[in-house]
């Protein structure tokens, strides 16, 4: 068994990727094989970091550079523990380093190094040879994936798979006996290997395969496992045998007694197709594991699998930008103006037509990666060069950014005929902050009933158009009483566990039953439930693990989890959510305020409220003068480079209790970054949006009155 941590340093470019005694990983995979080599290669492809095995990190177009400069660089990489070091070890062997040299530089045990060397030796032996059955079998016994072999022999993955099947080079499945052979195990689980005897015991029962979410990471975590587990429990209630496929040891879906059968395998096309061949399930559920299983939809359907729930062609409409735009026009729904550019000149033309600010993102990237809100032409040019490099197919998507819009999430459940809103969540942060990082409230706390009704209508129109069977998430922006569609995800979203707990209805369980042909009317859920209390979802961030990283939120998701606060009113629920997320709001003390020009009028009422509550207001010169002009007594502090005591001195002396700082533009001033990261280090609450400041002022009012009540969730649901 091999456990490999999952890192997300790409989300924190300023962070030091060196691995130390402070944990920096956000998830992990586990892989099982008959040998260490097989388990290691299986684990690497399960990580979902774009690697299909021990891929080279130093390959050039002309082949491998073997000059001394490259060798020196690799030596540096071997000496420092990072998430990429294992790939540099493989490259070192490709460059001719010995086990002793790598051991001296890395201090990694020679046993592990000799196994990695054997993998690279086989890879080298296969190069420039014809792929025969003998070579193919040897490669598969070592753990080489079809995709890696396809890259090596410059063919497509399907050709390798068909060649294997023709030569009868197929995996068998071995059993991990949960009762250690003492008596018959009713909950064993399986892993693949390339040997003779297969230990799978297929049944004749109707069965369904559920694909899990793989390793936890920023953007896809335990919320999807919650949905998979609920689906498993729900299908078992229906008398259906559940076959779970996942590779994450931290999850409940990989507990041996959650499903009837568990396959501890990577979530890749190769592995899922092999399991399907052995088990022959009635269908496969992709909706509950997040983006990972959804990406396999077209590939699985092409191979003849019955994808349960919303069909792959409708998933494709929601995922493909052009098809999606056509569908919205057909439905008479608004979307922010946009354009697609393939180079810098096209991008400039689109921006000229749309006007600033714009949201710019490369296509084919996940979790808001390399997404930016651009306010001026200078930033546009420098960012576009980076985005074009990031984009897999050199396509840049440019949207008119809806500044000062309120973002709203709607989750909807449907059986193809009846569609019911699970919940409509109003974001506390304005549009432009990734939905996974935003605090949200259910039911909405500031939107009019007229706007909510428009959102309901649009949600049902989209659900009908996409022939929704199961769950779907829609993201809206509300600006000047108009609603705009930002995105549609034809799957369970990360808000499903939150909504289910808020309304007391297990939506994932109902969705699984619907996929097996049940109707919402039979299941007794035909009307939206609007709770008579407020539920606030707040995100939890790992900034204390990445010192010096800016805590400012944006379109790229950075949170690693979430908490929930419930109470009779918004202020109390928001306060509970902040306490749970370790964002401790003060009852008294000093508040530092520094906001961008367009927020200066909005901050006045919040500053007055805090002043009235007994806080001392400290501010930068621009904000301080604006507050003083409106009659708010504020002490002006010098800039960091201009004098003492400045805000950093207050933070370090533990004499600063709250910071409200809204940055101008997405490229932050260096002083602001230092202030926010130092505050995170000293545990001072930092608020970076006006909406967040307003909510916090309400929460502080509750905190000072000391009126928080404790009540069980069961009592709320009564």
């Amino acid at each position: 068994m091999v456990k490999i941590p999952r890192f997300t340093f790409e989300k924190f470019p300023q962070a030091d990727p060196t691995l130390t005694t402070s944990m920096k990983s956000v998830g992990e995979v586990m892989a099982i094989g008959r040998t260490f080599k097989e388990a290691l290669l299986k684990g690497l492809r399960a990580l979902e970091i774009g690697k299909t095995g021990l891929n080279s990190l130093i390959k050039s177009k002309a082949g491998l550079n073997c000059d001394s400069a490259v060798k020196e660089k690799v030596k540096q990489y071997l000496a420092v523990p990072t998430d990429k070091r294992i790939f540099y070890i493989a490259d070192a062997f490709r460059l001719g380093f010995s086990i002793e040299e790598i051991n001296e530089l890395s201090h990694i045990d020679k046993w592990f190094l000799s196994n990695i060397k054997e993998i690279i030796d086989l890879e080298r032996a296969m190069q420039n040879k014809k792929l025969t059955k003998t070579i193919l079998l040897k490669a598969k016994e070592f753990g080489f994936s079809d995709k890696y072999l396809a890259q090596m022999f410059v063919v497509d993955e399907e050709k390798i798979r068909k060649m294997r099947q023709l030569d009868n080079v197929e995996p068998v499945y071995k059993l991990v006996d949960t009762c250690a052979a003492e008596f018959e195990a009713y909950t064993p689980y399986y892993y693949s290997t390339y040997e003779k005897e297969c230990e799978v015991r297929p049944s004749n029962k109707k069965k369904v395969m559920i694909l899990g979410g793989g390793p936890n990471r920023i953007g896809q975590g335990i919320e999807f496992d919650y949905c998979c587990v609920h689906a498993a429990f729900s299908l078992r209630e229906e008398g259906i045998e559940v076959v779970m496929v996942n590779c994450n040891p931290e999850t409940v879906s990989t507990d041996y007694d959650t499903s009837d059968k568990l396959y501890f395998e990577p979530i890749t096309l190769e592995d899922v197709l092999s399991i399907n061949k052995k088990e022959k399930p009635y269908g496969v559920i992709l909706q509950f594991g997040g983006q990972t299983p959804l990406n396999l939809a077209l590939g699985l359907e092409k191979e003849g699998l019955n994808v349960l729930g919303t069909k792959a062609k409708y998933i494709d409409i929601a995922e493909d930008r052009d098809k999606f735009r056509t569908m919205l026009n057909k439905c008479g729904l608004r979307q922010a103006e946009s354009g697609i550019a393939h180079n810098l000149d096209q991008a400039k033309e689109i921006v000229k037509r749309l006007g600033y600010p714009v949201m710019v993102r490369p296509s084919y990237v996940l979790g808001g990666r390399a997404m930016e809100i651009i306010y001026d032409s200078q930033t546009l040019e420098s960012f576009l060069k980076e985005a074009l490099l990031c984009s897999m197919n050199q396509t840049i998507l440019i949207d008119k950014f809806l500044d000062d819009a309120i973002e709203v999430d709607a989750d909807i459940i449907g059986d193809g005929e009846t569609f019911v809103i699970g919940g409509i969540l109003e974001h506390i942060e304005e549009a432009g902050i990734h939905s996974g990082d935003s605090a949200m409230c259910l039911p909405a706390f500031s939107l009019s009933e007229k706007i909510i009704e428009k959102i309901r209508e649009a949600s049902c129109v989209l659900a009908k158009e996409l022939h929704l069977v199961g769950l779907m998430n829609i993201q809206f922006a509300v600006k000047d009483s108009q609603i705009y569609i930002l995105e549609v995800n034809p799957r369970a979203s990360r808000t499903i566990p939150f909504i289910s707990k808020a309304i007391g209805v297990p939506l994932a369980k109902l969705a699984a039953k619907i996929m097996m042909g049940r109707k919402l009317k039979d299941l007794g859920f035909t009307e939206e439930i609007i709770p008579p209390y407020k539920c606030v979802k707040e995100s939890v961030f790992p900034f204390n693990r990445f010192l010096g990283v800016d805590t400012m939120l944006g379109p790229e998701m950075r949170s690693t989890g979430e908490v929930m606060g419930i109470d009779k009113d918004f202020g109390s629920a928001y306060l509970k959510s902040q306490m749970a997320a370790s964002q401790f709001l003060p009852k008294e003390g000093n508040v530092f305020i520094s906001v961008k020009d367009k927020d200066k009028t909005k901050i006045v009422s919040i500053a007055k409220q805090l002043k009235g509550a007994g806080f001392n207001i400290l501010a930068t010169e621009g904000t301080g003068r604006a507050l003083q002009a409106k009659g708010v007594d504020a002490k002006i502090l010098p800039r960091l480079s201009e004098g003492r005591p400045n805000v950093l001195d207050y933070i370090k002396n533990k004499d600063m209790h709250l910071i409200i700082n809204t940055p101008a533009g997405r490229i932050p001033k260096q002083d602001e970054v230092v202030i926010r990261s130092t505050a995170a280090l000293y545990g001072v609450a930092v608020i970076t949006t006006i909406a967040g400041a307003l909510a916090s002022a309400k929460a502080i009012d509750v905190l000072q009155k000391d009126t928080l009540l404790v009540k069980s969730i069961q009592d709320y649901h009564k």
Side-chain angles (χ1 to χ4, degrees):
M1 299 225 183
V2 170
K3 184 210 96 168
I4 309 178
R6 176 66 155 82
F7 298 93
T8 46
F9 288 116
E10 73 277 2
K11 297 279 183 182
F12 305 99
Q14 313 106 308
D16 176 11
T18 308
L19 306 181
T20 64
T21 51
S22 176
M23 180 174 160
K24 293 180 179 179
S25 64
V26 292
E28 63 184 46
V29 295
M30 182 168 116
I32 314 174
R34 293 303 252 192
T35 63
F36 169 69
K37 291 185 279 289
E38 184 181 28
L40 175 69
L41 290 177
K42 202 187 271 191
L44 291 171
R45 76 169 186 263
L47 278 174
E48 293 174 47
I49 53 172
K51 299 283 182 279
T52 54
L54 281 168
N55 302 66
S56 174
L57 295 183
I58 59 163
K59 269 188 177 173
S60 70
K61 283 174 185 168
L64 213 54
N65 291 320
C66 293
D67 57 31
S68 55
V70 172
K71 283 195 169 187
E72 279 308 308
K73 198 77 182 156
V74 169
K75 279 183 181 178
Q76 290 169 27
Y77 289 132
L78 294 178
V80 181
T82 68
D83 59 320
K84 293 187 174 66
R85 181 159 72 167
I86 194 157
F87 300 104
Y88 285 116
I89 289 168
D91 274 333
F93 283 124
R94 290 183 184 109
L95 291 167
F97 283 64
S98 69
I99 289 173
E100 285 68 28
E101 283 176 290
I102 298 173
N103 169 259
E104 206 170 299
L105 287 161
S106 67
H107 304 290
I108 289 172
D109 192 284
K110 291 178 185 177
W111 184 85
F112 294 111
L113 297 177
S114 62
N115 271 277
I116 294 169
K117 184 176 186 296
E118 284 175 34
I119 293 168
I120 302 306
D121 287 347
L122 178 62
E123 180 190 289
R124 195 176 283 139
M126 285 192 290
Q127 277 160 356
N128 307 318
K129 283 193 179 175
K130 192 171 181 290
L131 191 55
T132 63
K133 180 181 177 178
T134 310
I135 292 173
L136 189 55
L137 181 59
K138 185 79 175 163
K140 297 309 285 184
E141 284 170 349
F142 266 55
F144 282 80
S145 66
D146 286 355
K147 208 165 189 176
Y148 193 86
L149 291 169
Q151 288 162 352
M152 271 185 70
F153 290 94
V154 200
V155 293
D156 62 26
E157 187 186 352
E158 194 178 354
K159 189 170 180 182
I160 299 284
R161 184 164 62 249
K162 285 185 172 159
M163 189 188 226
R164 263 199 309 105
Q165 288 165 350
L166 276 172
D167 288 335
N168 203 25
V169 177
E170 301 258 27
V172 297
Y173 292 88
K174 295 293 182 185
L175 177 134
V176 178
D177 188 348
T178 51
C179 297
E182 198 173 333
F183 44 86
E184 189 182 354
Y186 289 99
T187 51
Y189 57 99
Y190 301 94
Y191 64 95
S192 66
T193 191
Y194 281 79
E195 287 187 3
K196 291 279 182 278
E197 188 198 357
C198 187
E199 296 176 359
V200 170
R201 301 171 291 198
S203 72
N204 296 320
K205 286 174 75 177
K206 186 175 185 178
K207 57 186 101 144
V208 166
M209 178 158 58
I210 299 175
L211 301 190
N216 284 1
R217 74 213 81 154
I218 292 173
Q220 188 164 302
I222 212 73
E223 58 274 20
F224 295 111
D225 193 66
Y226 165 99
C227 293
C228 289
V229 171
H230 273 237
F233 292 161
S234 178
L235 294 178
R236 285 171 89 172
E237 284 172 15
E238 298 289 299
I240 292 160
E241 186 175 304
V242 178
V243 177
M244 185 73 70
V245 184
N246 205 357
C247 55
N248 185 340
E250 303 170 311
T251 57
V252 181
S253 67
T254 52
D255 280 2
Y256 58 83
D257 55 356
T258 295
S259 52
D260 296 286
K261 275 185 184 161
L262 166 65
Y263 283 83
F264 227 108
E265 294 288 285
I267 315 292
T268 69
L269 191 63
E270 174 186 345
D271 298 285
V272 174
L273 288 175
S274 295
I275 295 162
N276 178 69
K277 203 167 180 181
K278 281 279 179 257
E279 288 290 347
K280 299 181 176 60
Y282 161 75
V284 56
I285 293 179
L286 310 178
Q287 275 193 25
F288 297 135
Q291 197 64 35
T292 300
L294 214 60
N295 290 344
L296 302 180
L298 289 170
L300 293 175
E301 214 162 67
K302 186 184 166 192
E303 291 289 333
L305 273 77
N306 177 21
V307 174
L308 298 174
T310 306
K311 292 298 168 198
K313 67 175 180 179
Y314 298 114
I315 292 171
D316 189 48
I317 290 170
E319 299 277 325
D320 184 293
R321 197 175 169 84
D322 282 332
K323 291 175 186 172
F324 183 58
R325 188 188 292 148
T326 307
M327 181 192 71
L328 289 183
N329 290 339
K330 181 189 166 190
C331 297
L333 295 169
R334 273 192 189 83
Q335 191 183 24
E337 284 186 81
S338 62
I340 297 174
H342 298 279
N343 55 48
L344 206 56
D345 292 335
Q346 285 179 2
K348 285 178 179 173
E349 277 301 310
I350 292 164
V351 173
K352 197 173 169 184
R353 173 170 61 84
L354 299 179
Y356 290 105
V358 289
M359 173 83 85
V360 180
R361 53 190 150 177
S363 60
Y364 293 96
V365 293
L366 293 173
R369 181 81 193 101
M371 199 186 277
E372 200 69 85
I373 299 163
I374 306 283
Y375 290 86
D376 57 71
S377 53
Q378 189 185 343
T379 316
L380 177 77
E381 196 151 327
S382 60
F383 179 73
L384 276 172
K385 285 170 185 168
E386 183 199 327
L388 280 163
L389 284 174
C390 251
S391 181
M392 200 166 75
N393 64 354
Q394 299 289 292
T395 303
I396 298 294
L397 315 172
I398 302 170
D399 294 300
K400 173 69 181 164
F401 177 62
L402 300 165
D403 221 356
D404 289 329
I406 295 169
E407 205 164 322
V408 179
D409 262 64
D411 280 293
I412 186 164
I413 187 168
D415 57 20
E417 297 165 9
T418 308
F419 308 103
V420 182
I421 300 281
I424 293 172
L425 300 98
E426 181 180 350
H427 290 214
I428 292 162
E429 280 82 15
E430 60 261 29
I433 289 169
H434 194 286
S435 62
D437 287 353
S438 294
M440 302 180 191
C441 185
L442 172 74
F445 61 97
S446 76
L447 295 173
S448 69
E449 190 48 49
K450 193 179 174 185
I451 290 289
I452 296 286
E453 198 46 52
K454 280 185 183 177
I455 289 169
R456 279 192 193 107
E457 285 168 13
S459 299
C460 289
V461 166
L462 285 167
K464 200 171 182 180
E465 191 63 31
L466 289 167
H467 299 264
L468 171 66
V469 178
L471 292 165
M472 185 166 84
N473 167 264
I474 308 162
Q475 287 169 21
F476 296 90
V478 178
K479 187 175 167 74
D480 303 328
S481 298
Q482 296 290 352
I483 67 162
Y484 297 84
I485 314 292
L486 299 179
E487 203 176 306
V488 172
N489 295 306
R491 56 168 168 80
S493 72
R494 66 177 59 83
T495 46
I496 287 297
F498 170 77
I499 291 174
S500 297
K501 289 178 172 72
I503 66 172
V505 175
L507 293 174
K509 275 188 169 182
L510 296 185
K513 293 188 180 199
I514 283 165
M515 287 181 210
M516 297 310 297
R518 296 286 297 275
K519 297 293 178 189
L520 281 166
K521 284 174 186 166
D522 307 333
L523 296 168
F525 186 62
T526 53
E527 280 183 39
E528 179 187 354
I529 294 171
I530 299 166
Y533 44 83
K534 299 291 185 196
C535 303
V536 173
K537 183 217 97 171
E538 181 57 285
S539 301
V540 177
F541 299 91
F543 296 128
N544 59 341
R545 298 281 172 179
F546 301 105
L547 301 181
V549 164
D550 191 7
T551 61
M552 186 174 75
L553 303 179
E556 185 156 347
M557 185 172 164
R558 291 166 140 207
S559 62
T560 51
E562 61 185 53
V563 294
M564 178 172 177
I566 310 179
D567 214 305
K568 59 186 184 303
D569 60 81
F570 174 72
S572 303
Y574 186 76
L575 175 60
K576 283 182 178 179
S577 75
Q578 298 308 293
M579 291 163 80
S582 299
Q583 170 101 321
F584 297 112
L585 296 170
K587 274 187 176 180
E588 57 189 7
N590 294 324
V591 179
F592 176 72
I593 303 176
S594 172
V595 296
K596 60 190 173 195
D597 289 344
K598 68 192 266 287
D599 288 341
K600 286 189 168 69
T601 51
K602 296 176 193 168
I603 197 67
V604 173
S605 62
I606 297 167
K608 280 181 178 173
Q609 195 175 334
L610 291 170
K611 191 76 184 169
F615 286 89
N616 304 313
I617 307 293
L618 297 90
T620 48
E621 188 169 2
T623 303
R625 298 272 177 249
L627 290 173
Q628 288 168 350
K630 296 290 183 182
V632 181
D633 183 22
K635 180 182 179 180
I636 293 170
L637 295 183
R639 292 177 187 274
L640 301 191
S641 55
E642 288 177 359
R644 315 276 297 261
N646 56 43
V647 64
L648 285 190
D649 297 317
Y650 276 87
I651 294 170
K652 288 172 182 175
N653 293 335
K654 299 189 176 172
D655 202 19
M656 186 60 69
H657 306 95
L658 181 65
I659 292 173
I660 299 170
N661 170 219
T662 67
R666 298 294 317 143
I667 308 300
K669 297 188 184 82
Q670 198 48 45
D671 274 13
E672 291 177 343
V673 176
V674 172
I675 292 165
R676 288 193 292 266
S677 58
T678 308
L681 181 63
Y682 282 84
V684 179
V686 180
I687 298 157
T688 56
T689 62
I690 289 293
L694 198 59
S696 297
K698 288 179 181 175
I700 286 168
D701 183 49
V702 175
L703 189 65
Q704 288 182 330
K705 288 173 182 166
D706 201 21
T707 55
L708 275 190
L709 299 171
V710 175
K711 194 171 169 182
S712 75
I713 196 166
Q714 289 86 347
D715 284 337
Y716 279 111
H717 291 163
K718 279 176 192 169

